[in-house]
C-alpha cells in the first residue's frame, strides 16, 4: 500500500513541477494539441461519411426492405464510430508521445537535471530518427499487448457478476500499467533500457506503477483532459523512473528554475524494491538483469 501512495505522489509531483515551470508546460502542451486536432478531424470525417462507407462495404444489403436496411446499416455505423472512439482513447497517449518525442525528451531531461544532485541528466547518443523508430516500434509492441489484454477482459465481461464487477477493476489496473510504461519509456529509453527490461522493471514494483498509472488512466479516458495532464504525466513518470532505478533525488527538488543554478540540498536515495536494479541502467546490448518477461 505504501508503494501505491508513492506512485500517486509521483503523479502529483509531476503536475506540480510543470505548474512551477510554465515554459516547459506550454512547450509540452503542443504535441497533445496537435494529436487532439488530428483525432478530432478523423472522428468528424467518420461521423460525416461513416454511413456512406458502411453502405459501400455492405452491397449485399441493398435490396433489403425497410426498416431492416436502415437498422442494419445504422447499427454498423454506430459500432464503427464506437470502435474508432475506443481506438482513439487507447492510442492517444502512444501517438502523442511519438509526435512529441523531441518535446517530451527535452522536458524529461529538464526534470532530471532539476532533481539530480549533480544537475546532470542522462543523455541518449542515438540520432533523432533512431529514437523515433525505437519509440514507434516499442509503442506498437505495447499496444499489441494491451489489445490482447483487452480481448481477454472483454470475453471475461460476459461472466455473470464477475464480468460486471471484477473485470472492469482489472481493466483499469491493466490500463494504468501500460500507460505508465508508455510515459516512463521517455526517461528509460534515454538511459538505454530496452522494452523487455522496462516491462520486467515495472513488474517488479507493480503497486508503485498502479498508484501512478491507474488514476491517470481514468483521467485519460477524456482525451481533452489528457492534453493538459500529459506534460505533468511525463515529468512524474521521469521521477518514477528514477525511483525504479534507485537513482538519487534531491529533497524538495522542483522548487526552482532548472535553467538557473542547481541549489544544493540534502540527497535522498529511494530504496529499490526487492527485484529493482541498482543505480546503473543496462545499455541497449546488455543482458536484461530483471529476469525473463512474463
Amino acid at each position: 500500500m505504501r508503494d501505491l501512495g508513492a506512485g500517486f505522489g509521483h503523479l502529483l509531483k509531476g503536475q506540480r513541477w510543470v505548474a512551477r515551470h510554465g515554459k516547459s508546460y506550454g512547450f509540452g502542451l503542443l504535441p497533445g494539441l496537435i494529436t487532439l486536432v488530428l483525432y478530432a478531424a478523423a472522428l468528424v470525417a467518420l461521423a460525416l461519411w461513416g454511413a456512406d462507407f458502411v453502405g459501400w462495404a455492405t452491397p449485399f444489403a441493398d435490396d433489403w426492405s425497410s426498416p431492416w436496411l436502415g437498422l442494419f446499416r445504422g447499427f454498423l455505423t454506430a459500432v464503427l464510430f464506437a470502435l474508432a472512439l475506443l481506438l482513439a482513447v487507447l492510442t492517444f497517449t502512444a501517438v502523442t508521445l511519438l509526435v512529441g518525442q523531441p518535446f517530451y525528451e527535452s522536458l524529461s531531461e529538464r526534470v532530471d537535471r532539476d532533481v539530480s544532485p549533480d544537475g546532470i541528466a542522462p543523455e541518449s547518443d542515438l540520432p533523432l530518427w533512431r529514437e523515433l523508430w525505437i519509440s514507434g516500434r516499442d509503442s506498437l509492441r505495447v499496444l499489441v499487448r494491451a489489445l490482447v489484454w483487452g480481448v481477454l477482459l472483454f470475453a471475461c465481461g460476459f461472466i455473470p457478476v464477475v464480468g460486471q464487477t471484477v473485470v472492469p477493476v482489472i481493466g483499469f489496473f491493466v490500463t494504468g500499467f501500460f500507460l505508465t510504461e508508455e510515459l516512463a519509456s521517455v526517461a528509460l529509453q534515454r538511459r538505454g533500457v530496452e522494452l523487455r527490461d522496462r516491462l520486467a522493471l515495472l513488474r517488479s514494483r507493480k503497486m508503485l506503477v498502479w498508484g501512478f498509472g491507474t488514476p491517470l488512466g481514468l483521467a485519460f479516458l477524456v482525451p481533452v483532459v489528457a492534453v493538459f495532464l500529459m506534460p505533468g504525466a511525463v515529468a512524474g513518470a521521469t521521477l518514477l523512473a528514477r525511483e525504479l532505478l534507485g537513482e538519487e533525488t534531491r529533497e524538495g527538488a522542483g522548487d526552482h528554475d532548472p535553467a538557473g543554478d542547481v541549489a544544493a540540498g540534502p540527497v535522498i536515495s529511494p530504496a529499490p524494491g526487492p527485484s529493482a536494479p541498482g543505480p546503473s541502467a543496462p545499455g541497449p546490448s546488455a543482458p536484461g538483469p530483471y529476469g525473463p518477461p512474463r
Side-chain angles (χ1 to χ4, degrees):
M1 295 302 293
R2 181 179 179 182
D3 266 358
L4 275 176
F8 187 66
H10 286 313
L11 178 59
L12 296 181
K13 289 176 184 177
Q15 300 301 327
R16 287 200 298 266
W17 192 93
V18 295
R20 296 190 186 104
H21 301 76
K23 291 183 179 180
S24 294
Y25 180 65
F27 195 61
L29 283 177
L30 292 177
L33 291 173
I34 293 172
T35 307
L36 181 63
V37 169
L38 293 175
Y39 272 53
L43 290 174
V44 168
L46 185 62
L48 292 175
W49 294 294
D52 295 336
F53 173 78
V54 169
W56 170 81
T58 57
F60 58 86
D62 287 342
D63 298 329
W64 289 13
S65 60
S66 181
W68 306 115
L69 176 62
L71 290 174
F72 175 69
R73 287 181 171 168
F75 173 75
L76 289 182
T77 301
V79 169
L80 179 64
F81 189 82
L83 288 175
L85 191 60
L86 176 62
L87 186 63
V89 171
L90 290 175
T91 61
F92 184 84
T93 300
V95 173
T96 301
L97 289 173
L98 185 61
V99 171
Q101 178 74 17
F103 297 86
Y104 296 134
E105 192 78 23
S106 175
L107 190 153
S108 179
E109 285 186 15
R110 292 194 70 186
V111 174
D112 267 323
R113 284 196 298 270
D114 188 28
V115 303
S116 175
D118 54 13
I120 298 176
E123 296 182 1
S124 172
D125 296 328
L126 299 176
L128 178 60
W129 71 267
R130 180 64 177 170
E131 290 184 355
L132 290 174
W133 164 254
I134 294 175
S135 179
R137 179 199 65 189
D138 289 350
S139 293
L140 182 61
R141 292 161 67 184
V142 169
L143 178 61
V144 170
R145 287 175 167 84
L147 289 176
V148 170
W149 271 97
V151 171
L152 291 175
L153 292 173
F154 177 78
C156 292
F158 292 99
I159 301 176
V161 182
V162 174
Q164 292 74 48
T165 54
V166 178
V167 171
V169 174
I170 295 176
F172 285 126
F173 280 104
V174 170
T175 299
F177 180 89
F178 286 114
L179 179 59
T180 303
E181 194 287 324
E182 287 282 359
L183 293 166
S185 67
V186 177
L188 293 175
Q189 182 179 316
R190 182 157 39 85
R191 289 162 166 83
V193 184
E194 297 279 357
L195 174 62
R196 177 176 177 172
D197 295 329
R198 291 202 301 265
L199 291 173
L201 179 61
L202 293 172
R203 292 191 191 106
S204 70
R205 301 285 299 277
K206 290 190 183 74
M207 300 295 282
L208 181 71
V209 171
W210 287 336
F212 180 89
T214 302
L216 187 63
L218 290 171
F220 272 26
L221 289 175
V222 183
V224 176
V225 174
V227 170
F228 294 99
L229 293 182
M230 183 67 80
V234 173
T238 302
L239 299 174
L240 182 140
R242 294 182 66 88
E243 177 168 348
L244 287 172
L245 294 172
E247 296 180 355
E248 294 180 341
T249 301
R250 288 189 309 103
E251 187 177 3
D255 296 331
H256 68 286
D257 188 348
D261 295 332
V262 178
V267 174
I268 59 175
S269 178
S275 303
S280 298
S285 59
Y290 315 120
R294 299 177 187 173

